[in-house]
Amino acid sequence: MSETTQKNNTKKGYDPKATEDQYYKIWEERGYFEIDGNQAIQQTDENGKAKTFAIMMPPPNVTGSLHIGHALTFTLQDIITRYKRMDGYKTLWQPGTDHAGIATQNVVEKQLLAEGTTKEAIGREAFLERVWKWKEYSGGTIVHQMRKLGISPAWSRERFTMDEGLKEAVKEAFVHLYNEGMIVQNNYMVNWCTHDGALSDIEVEHEEVNGKFYHMNYHFADGSGHITVATTRPETYFGDTAIMVHPDDERYKEIIGKEVIVPLTDRKIKIIADAHVDMEFGTGIVKVTPAHDQNDYEVGKRHDLEFITVFDEKGILNDYCGEFAGMERLEARKPIVDKLEKEGYIVKIEDHVHQVGHCYRCKNIVEPYISKQWFVRSEVAKNSIEKTYAGEAQFHPAHWLNSYRAWMDELRDWCISRQLWWGHRIPVFYCDECGHQWADKQDNPEACPHCASKKIHQDPDVLDTWFSSALWAFSPLGWGNNGKMADTYNDTDLADFYPNSLLITGFDIMFFWVARMMMMGEHFMGELPFKDIYMHALVRDEHGAKMSKSKGNVIDPLDMVEEHSADIIRFTLAFLAVQGRDIKLGAKNLEQFRNFTNKLYNATNFLQMNVDTFADLKDIEVKTPLGKYMQSRLAKAVEEVRETLETYKFNEAASNLYRFVWNEFCDWGIEYSKASKESIAELGAIFKETLKMVSPFMPFISEHLYHKLSGTELETGESVMVMNFPKEVAADEDAEAMFAIIEEAITAIRRAKVIIDMGNSKIAKAYVKLDTKIDTDVAKPFIEKLAKVEEVEFVDAKVENSVTDVSDNLEVYIPTEEIDLSAIIGKLSKQKEKLEKEINKLSGMLNNERFVANAPENVIAENRQALEDAQSKMEKVEAELAGFGTN
């Protein structure tokens, strides 16, 4: 035995710090995490093909370190992966990290600003070098944290969404879609962040803000008066190209076609009619700014209006805004309003609460903005939507299908171009000579394919991060990698592991990532990328509040591991992961499962007080009544844990394990064994099998205790993590039926002893009258030991002068002849007297018509309940006194 293991084994309690790093290193070095790490137990299906299981890690962003939500995702993924690995599946858990375009670029830009410089000052090449350095640092931190959690992905296959192979896959996908006409470029109204550029719809977070309604007068060009229009964004009114009313609005029929003058300018615009106007809202007159409002954009196209853009990509107002040109859009609002007020255009300003879009990364206010961008056409998703609706993919919990439907039924083209430097460069090239545009998988094509000119340039933009992530279900398996990084995947991977078996991720990226993976997977592979989709909820603090740095309630997974151990964190998260319900994580939860690890350790110590080492269950024949009973209970636990893991009910699986270990094995099995020393060798084998079940949840302590019970060590022996997960354990209905009666008798005697104030004391004699036939010779020592009775006698008739307890299948009697009952009778008599007074008082109140007529209903209900409770207690007291021969 190694010095470290010996030291660890001789300590009073289990020391995770001395074990976890050591075990993890051995597991990884032996290749247990890889697809053939469990080769000795891999199984085949009815066709002789290896049973396979594949799950892709949602690649965390290289923007810092992991949070507790990541810990939940990875814990659940690791539990199911370890379970499938032990169950004989050829298993791939694909690890990796994401370049996270906007988020990572923002991190590095902030670092540069703190140093007094900018990305523009150092140039694109130097900036990208800085980002790659940050990626190495952040990625290293993340992988270190993952290892500390004890997770077991195939590390040799670790990928990065901008590694050489995945760059090839992204170009393959883009060029294919481009040539199909499914990627198009055009001037569209997009969500525009003046810091981060174009955003897709789901990258915009809408928040309620306290704003203003500015009521402005627009004067008729013929001098005949004015109309009043309200806006929340006066800085954009310089881009107005029409005023709009509803065609059925009788108030304004006469002014349709007339012209008004845009305030502070000499520009004339027409009043048009469009059914988009809500006649009931405000004045029923709306200004139309087609270049800066999504709804107005559609109106502008319908009426062939001019599209006037009034600020540039950075939000700086242009010459259309007159004296305000050069000002930033939001900063310009107040001076514009001041000038409008001074010139008499403002009628009134009202407070107004409304929704405003913010960039999901930098929180900047997002603008509707017309820009030339690249889009994936929504038609690409058509087949994936139909197949999902047909049930080819299942959501867990099932209600997430409704959310998927709500989004996909309204799906618009996906804006995939980003005005960033960090990311996959869009593989589109332009000829400076003939103007030809084409997509190319080559990084540096030599010449224009149309005119052969060498004067060509590449599109400066990069792809949305989620474009490369959308390929994640199949690109790490070698699809489109074009031979790059071939040492990280096998030629058979796509056949073996696509479609993936399962996806586990947070619900918050359903549309960012899950729906897009389904779209791309189906489009390129012809099948949906996974059969099951498990969406877990948020991890909140113990009070149910969302975790945030500003609240100071963020939990660092590494701190938790340091304080409690990886096993405790993992089991706690699994136990609390009820499908569809947020997790409230607090100290009390961690304390509960620290006690559980103590229970496991103490059970091991008890077993070894009697027997040094134990065989595996498969290598022995269980013969003792207690052994047969506990093996049968194990069979039930195995069935329950398997069923709940197969349906991704991680909390129920953890709960079943907890109940079996704590309530059944420790509270009953170990206690029973004190009356059956010959069964302990069998119980040890059963407990070793239990530790195999615990292993996916708590891999370190289960490994440690398994070897402790076996008299082996991991350094020279086989790991539990590549042993068979328990299956088809022998059940014994007769043993279960007998021990159910034994437990009932023990419980009944304990209750009867409480009546005579001897709950924890040993008594001389107890009688048991059975309604069911069992082997009383087997039952007797167990009942005597656990009920603390010197002698139990089985009888066929009621025993007189005794305290009685009646249960479903038996009656027990404790003789009272030799017990001094005077103190107990006195105590019960006082209770009876007190209850009589209480009953009389409550009955008097409730029989008083005036009280019932005037008292509140809840007071009357409380008194009636109190009377029922007192009467019930009285019945019990009187029954106990009658048992002692008194009234």
Side-chain angles (χ1 to χ4, degrees):
M1 190 174 285
S2 74
E3 186 180 335
T4 308
T5 306
Q6 199 167 19
K7 180 183 175 186
N8 211 17
N9 284 348
T10 55
K11 286 192 173 188
K12 186 175 181 182
Y14 173 64
D15 180 9
K17 289 182 184 176
T19 306
E20 292 182 354
D21 289 345
Q22 175 198 4
Y23 281 4
Y24 194 89
K25 186 179 179 186
I26 293 170
W27 294 335
E28 189 174 352
E29 286 176 350
R30 289 185 186 171
Y32 289 151
F33 304 163
E34 306 302 324
I35 62 171
D36 290 322
N38 64 337
Q39 196 161 25
I41 61 169
Q42 282 184 7
Q43 300 172 12
T44 55
D45 60 21
E46 60 275 8
N47 300 316
K49 188 174 181 289
K51 292 168 69 175
T52 59
F53 177 81
I55 186 168
M56 311 306 257
M57 176 185 292
N61 296 343
V62 288
T63 49
S65 57
L66 300 182
H67 53 66
I68 195 65
H70 289 119
L72 173 61
T73 303
F74 298 147
T75 293
L76 300 182
Q77 288 184 313
D78 195 48
I79 288 168
I80 197 70
T81 299
R82 286 176 178 270
Y83 164 66
K84 290 292 185 179
R85 189 183 286 128
M86 292 178 74
D87 212 28
Y89 285 75
K90 182 178 181 180
T91 302
L92 171 63
W93 182 12
Q94 174 65 54
T97 49
D98 197 300
H99 67 282
I102 292 176
T104 306
Q105 178 157 321
N106 280 340
V107 168
V108 180
E109 281 197 70
K110 285 176 184 175
Q111 292 171 358
L112 292 174
L113 287 172
E115 296 167 18
T117 186
T118 64
K119 73 178 193 297
E120 288 79 12
I122 66 171
R124 186 167 190 150
E125 192 173 331
F127 177 74
L128 291 178
E129 283 180 17
R130 279 288 297 261
V131 185
W132 276 106
K133 282 181 183 175
W134 169 255
K135 177 264 171 187
E136 292 303 319
Y137 167 77
S138 176
T141 301
I142 287 168
V143 167
H144 170 70
Q145 287 179 297
M146 289 181 186
R147 285 183 159 94
K148 293 298 277 186
L149 278 168
I151 69 169
S152 59
W155 285 121
S156 72
R157 294 168 169 251
E158 183 186 350
R159 303 300 296 267
F160 176 57
T161 53
M162 279 177 60
D163 69 32
E164 290 304 314
L166 299 189
K167 277 184 181 176
E168 293 294 316
V170 166
K171 289 185 290 184
E172 184 79 34
F174 185 98
V175 172
H176 186 93
L177 290 168
Y178 178 94
N179 291 336
E180 281 186 309
M182 289 297 172
I183 286 181
V184 293
Q185 186 187 37
N186 212 328
N187 284 315
Y188 282 94
M189 174 73 75
V190 297
N191 304 297
W192 187 267
C193 171
T194 57
H195 180 261
D196 292 320
L199 303 172
S200 65
D201 290 344
I202 53 177
E203 289 172 315
V204 180
E205 295 177 343
H206 292 276
E207 297 174 18
E208 209 168 68
V209 299
N210 295 316
K212 303 285 184 186
F213 240 151
Y214 302 89
H215 294 258
M216 300 167 52
N217 284 343
Y218 285 62
H219 295 278
F220 288 116
D222 61 9
S224 59
H226 65 264
I227 56 171
T228 302
V229 178
T231 180
T232 58
R233 306 187 56 220
E235 68 276 8
T236 65
Y237 88 89
F238 293 105
D240 291 354
T241 55
I243 297 293
M244 180 167 57
V245 297
H246 196 284
D248 299 332
D249 196 330
E250 295 294 335
R251 294 171 295 176
Y252 305 121
K253 284 203 170 182
E254 291 183 4
I255 64 170
I256 294 171
K258 293 190 72 171
E259 291 183 328
V260 295
I261 300 171
V262 176
L264 302 182
T265 75
D266 56 5
R267 193 160 56 83
K268 297 176 183 178
I269 57 176
K270 272 191 176 183
I271 297 174
I272 63 172
D274 193 283
H276 173 71
V277 178
D278 180 357
M279 290 188 286
E280 305 301 320
F281 184 74
T283 61
I285 306 176
V286 182
K287 71 189 197 68
V288 186
T289 319
H292 294 283
D293 182 274
Q294 186 65 55
N295 293 321
D296 292 359
Y297 175 73
E298 299 299 331
V299 172
K301 287 196 294 184
R302 281 199 295 275
H303 294 268
D304 197 23
L305 299 177
E306 186 180 2
F307 286 69
I308 298 176
T309 302
V310 299
F311 53 76
D312 66 13
E313 295 176 354
K314 297 298 180 186
I316 306 302
L317 300 186
N318 59 25
D319 289 343
Y320 278 102
C321 305
E323 65 189 89
F324 306 104
M327 298 182 73
E328 198 279 331
R329 67 200 161 120
L330 299 178
E331 293 171 2
R333 182 175 295 175
K334 188 177 185 308
I336 290 172
V337 171
D338 289 345
K339 182 66 179 281
L340 287 168
E341 281 191 299
K342 183 181 176 183
E343 298 293 330
Y345 289 102
I346 297 287
V347 178
K348 62 179 177 178
I349 302 173
E350 296 177 316
D351 290 333
H352 178 60
V353 177
H354 61 130
Q355 295 278 331
V356 174
H358 292 75
C359 175
Y360 82 119
R361 283 299 178 190
C362 70
K363 308 309 176 188
N364 184 16
I365 290 179
V366 169
E367 297 286 350
Y369 191 74
I370 295 175
S371 176
K372 198 169 192 177
Q373 302 291 338
W374 291 99
F375 291 81
V376 173
R377 294 175 60 192
S378 60
E379 288 93 322
V380 174
K382 182 175 180 288
N383 288 343
S384 68
I385 294 169
E386 289 176 357
K387 288 181 178 182
T388 303
Y389 290 177
E392 292 185 30
Q394 300 291 324
F395 285 93
H396 306 268
H399 69 77
W400 283 113
L401 177 61
N402 297 331
S403 301
Y404 174 85
R405 261 184 198 279
W407 182 266
M408 302 310 282
D409 287 349
E410 300 296 326
L411 191 65
R412 292 173 24 184
D413 291 353
W414 168 21
C415 177
I416 56 169
S417 44
R418 296 292 181 269
Q419 291 64 53
L420 304 171
W421 288 357
W422 173 245
H424 290 275
R425 191 84 174 264
I426 289 177
V428 169
F429 296 84
Y430 306 89
C431 178
D432 300 333
E433 293 281 348
C434 71
H436 180 61
Q437 177 200 90
W438 76 102
D440 205 313
K441 287 184 269 188
Q442 296 180 70
D443 284 331
N444 297 295
E446 292 184 4
C448 169
H450 187 257
C451 72
S453 170
K454 295 192 175 182
K455 292 181 180 179
I456 59 177
H457 69 276
Q458 187 173 0
D459 195 301
D461 288 349
V462 300
L463 286 164
D464 176 12
T465 296
W466 301 101
F467 187 91
S468 53
S469 298
L471 310 178
W472 188 248
F474 53 96
S475 60
L477 303 177
W479 182 90
N481 283 217
N482 296 327
K484 300 283 180 72
M485 300 183 69
D487 56 336
T488 61
Y489 55 87
N490 298 327
D491 291 340
T492 62
D493 280 356
L494 278 169
D496 287 344
F497 301 120
Y498 190 93
N500 307 161
S501 311
L502 169 68
L503 176 73
I504 296 180
T505 190
F507 71 88
D508 52 332
I509 55 173
M510 174 185 275
F511 307 114
F512 281 111
W513 190 45
V514 180
R516 286 168 177 169
M517 276 202 293
M518 294 166 82
M519 173 199 314
M520 294 296 221
E522 196 287 327
H523 189 77
F524 287 107
M525 302 296 295
E527 290 181 86
L528 294 176
F530 15 73
K531 296 162 187 165
D532 290 291
I533 305 158
Y534 177 97
M535 312 291 288
H536 68 69
L538 290 177
V539 183
R540 298 178 178 271
D541 72 12
E542 59 191 318
H543 307 295
K546 191 172 180 179
M547 293 187 189
S548 69
K549 290 178 183 176
S550 60
K551 290 178 184 173
N553 63 349
V554 172
I555 296 176
D556 185 319
L558 226 54
D559 290 345
M560 294 170 72
V561 169
E562 184 69 18
E563 184 178 353
H564 298 282
S565 84
D567 283 330
I568 292 172
I569 306 314
R570 292 163 60 100
F571 199 83
T572 302
L573 289 170
F575 194 93
L576 299 175
V578 180
Q579 282 191 11
R581 192 181 304 168
D582 286 348
I583 290 173
K584 292 182 184 178
L585 182 62
K588 68 180 187 300
N589 308 117
L590 297 162
E591 183 68 29
Q592 177 184 359
F593 299 113
R594 184 168 66 191
N595 293 340
F596 183 57
T597 60
N598 292 340
K599 201 77 169 175
L600 291 167
Y601 199 88
N602 291 339
T604 301
N605 284 346
F606 172 81
L607 292 166
Q608 288 193 306
M609 282 169 55
N610 298 278
V611 178
D612 287 337
T613 60
F614 298 86
D616 268 14
L617 188 58
K618 63 181 172 58
D619 297 327
I620 65 169
E621 182 184 354
V622 177
K623 296 179 178 178
T624 68
L626 177 56
K628 289 179 178 178
Y629 169 62
M630 286 312 305
Q631 181 176 248
S632 192
R633 296 312 300 155
L634 172 68
K636 181 65 175 173
V638 167
E639 182 185 323
E640 290 173 343
V641 171
R642 277 183 164 275
E643 183 183 339
T644 48
L645 282 177
E646 292 288 354
T647 52
Y648 318 119
K649 293 170 183 167
F650 296 97
N651 65 302
E652 291 183 25
S655 179
N656 288 330
L657 261 179
Y658 184 91
R659 189 197 66 247
F660 174 71
V661 169
W662 195 296
N663 299 348
E664 299 198 44
F665 190 88
C666 294
D667 285 359
W668 286 104
I670 283 179
E671 292 304 308
Y672 282 140
S673 74
K674 293 172 184 177
S676 175
K677 297 291 185 186
E678 69 277 10
S679 69
I680 289 178
E682 296 171 355
L683 293 190
I686 290 164
F687 193 61
K688 283 175 64 178
E689 205 68 9
T690 304
L691 290 170
K692 292 178 186 176
M693 270 205 299
V694 173
S695 177
F697 298 83
M698 306 173 89
F700 297 107
I701 193 169
S702 56
E703 185 85 80
H704 173 74
L705 296 180
Y706 179 89
H707 285 290
K708 191 171 187 289
L709 288 168
S710 303
T712 57
E713 59 180 355
L714 177 60
E715 291 91 331
T716 55
E718 189 180 21
S719 170
V720 174
M721 69 171 286
V722 288
M723 293 180 185
N724 284 118
F725 195 88
K727 186 178 184 179
E728 297 174 356
V729 178
D732 190 321
E733 290 183 10
D734 292 339
E736 292 216 35
M738 180 172 67
F739 273 89
I741 297 296
I742 291 170
E743 183 179 327
E744 190 177 335
I746 292 165
T747 304
I749 292 172
R750 286 172 176 173
R751 283 198 301 263
K753 285 167 69 180
V754 168
I755 296 171
I756 56 174
D757 271 1
M758 297 188 74
N760 292 318
S761 303
K762 193 165 190 176
I763 60 172
K765 186 89 174 181
Y767 298 93
V768 178
K769 177 176 171 287
L770 297 171
D771 295 340
T772 304
K773 194 170 184 181
I774 62 169
D775 188 333
T776 54
D777 291 337
V778 170
K780 191 172 189 294
F782 292 113
I783 299 171
E784 288 172 347
K785 186 73 177 177
L786 272 70
K788 292 186 178 178
V789 181
E790 286 181 15
E791 185 185 2
V792 166
E793 184 178 329
F794 293 91
V795 295
D796 296 324
K798 178 176 170 60
V799 176
E800 299 299 327
N801 300 319
S802 63
V803 174
T804 305
D805 185 277
V806 180
S807 61
D808 292 342
N809 299 293
L810 53 85
E811 296 176 21
V812 300
Y813 314 104
I814 298 176
T816 58
E817 293 168 351
E818 298 177 9
I819 302 172
D820 182 3
L821 299 174
S822 57
I824 300 165
I825 292 170
K827 180 180 172 183
L828 288 169
S829 297
K830 285 181 181 177
Q831 281 185 22
K832 181 180 178 183
E833 187 180 334
K834 185 178 177 183
L835 285 166
E836 282 173 343
K837 288 179 181 177
E838 180 72 8
I839 289 168
N840 289 335
K841 175 188 164 188
L842 290 166
S843 297
M845 289 170 62
L846 292 168
N847 290 327
N848 184 324
E849 292 181 4
R850 288 183 62 190
F851 172 76
V852 173
N854 296 318
E857 283 186 23
N858 65 311
V859 172
I860 294 170
E862 286 170 9
N863 279 282
R864 281 182 178 147
Q865 184 62 52
L867 178 60
E868 284 180 27
D869 294 344
Q871 288 168 336
S872 176
K873 288 176 186 174
M874 176 65 90
E875 287 175 11
K876 290 179 182 176
V877 168
E878 287 178 335
E880 288 176 18
L881 284 168
F884 297 140
T886 64
N887 293 320

